[in-house]
Amino acid sequence: MNIGSAAKASGVSAKMIRHYEGIGLLPQAGRSDTGYRQYGEKDLRTLQFIRRSRDLGFSLGEIQGLLGLWQDRARPSREVKALAERHLEFLDRKLDELQSMKNALSHLVSCCHGDERPDCPILESLSGENGSTGLGGHGGR
Amino acid sequence: MNIGSAAKASGVSAKMIRHYEGIGLLPQAGRSDTGYRQYGEKDLRTLQFIRRSRDLGFSLGEIQGLLGLWQDRARPSREVKALAERHLEFLDRKLDELQSMKNALSHLVSCCHGDERPDCPILESLSGENGSTGLGGHGGR
DNA sequence: ATGGAGCTTCCCATGATGGGAAGGTCAAGC
DNA sequence: GCTTGACCTTCCCATCATGGGAAGCTCCAT
């Protein structure tokens, strides 16, 4: 199976498959006589594993860890769970961050009449003429 | 005022101030005789405007738009609101995406006993031995 | 044999940010 | 006055995951 079919079957683009191989996330693929990468069932399962992990937001580094555990039949599930929990905390932090932005911004939006007149609480808040918008002081990333 | 003080006072790093100038988000800063960038009150207000916008998650492109509207005293607030609403939709999409990840992953985590034994529903789900974890088929980012 | 689809490698771009090197400048203390 | 250390300058490189595109080779069907 060539890289294009593997890409279609796994949902990982050919570009990314090559990249994953380049950074050592995937082993070197076998090659045909003419240098085409060749993929089999086992490779497909690995590619799908990676795609599902990406769908859950795991970084490629974390996926390297997951792949290692997956391939180690003696892994303690404790380790998998720990890795997943760390990622869960990451997701929680991101969610909080986005939710705060959303709260602050949707408040501002609801205060802006949005017509032809120039006065605008959104711009006022951004320029610091701020009454109390929920925008704290420093503290961004 | 040199760039370091402007950075401290605005909450935007010196590195980023130079970068914003480089991409045209900020006008060329005035220079001292010896080539040091000089900043005044007005520049500080602009830098703070940018920082607050970043804190709400606006991209630098969007901030360019916001700055333009801010500096245009004849802007219709309608335009500011539209820009903000577009960003709110973006935040909503991101939130949904993260929330789905969190839901799927926290379900898996709660199913994993996390002890010394190797069997693990997290890995099973990632490898596709999947019963019904909420992980849909293709459809990533 | 020809054409088009698919493969190869290589380089570059994105977006926001930071790290660090090499060298010039400023101000305080001796 | 000279030294020292903090600060500034520009320039290049890295991150993270992904994609675009060029130049050139291969494969298969007509």
Side-chain angles (χ1 to χ4, degrees), chain A residues 45-116:
Chain A
R45 277 190 296 272
T46 304
L47 285 170
Q48 285 166 349
F49 183 99
I50 293 176
R51 186 186 50 73
R52 292 199 193 89
S53 303
R54 290 293 299 136
D55 288 348
L56 288 179
F58 285 103
S59 71
L60 296 186
E62 291 168 326
I63 293 174
Q64 195 131 39
L66 287 169
L67 281 172
L69 290 166
W70 186 41
Q71 273 140 26
D72 171 9
R73 270 185 233 174
R75 76 223 154 211
S77 62
R78 180 179 35 74
E79 289 189 26
V80 184
K81 189 168 183 172
L83 209 164
E85 278 171 340
R86 244 175 290 135
H87 182 55
L88 218 36
E89 280 161 29
F90 168 82
L91 290 176
D92 276 333
R93 262 176 280 126
K94 273 275 167 252
L95 274 165
D96 275 359
E97 195 181 319
L98 288 183
Q99 191 63 56
S100 306
M101 290 178 181
K102 178 182 168 171
N103 290 343
L105 186 56
S106 58
H107 171 66
L108 290 175
V109 162
S110 74
C111 288
C112 176
H113 33 55
D115 55 19
E116 301 310 308

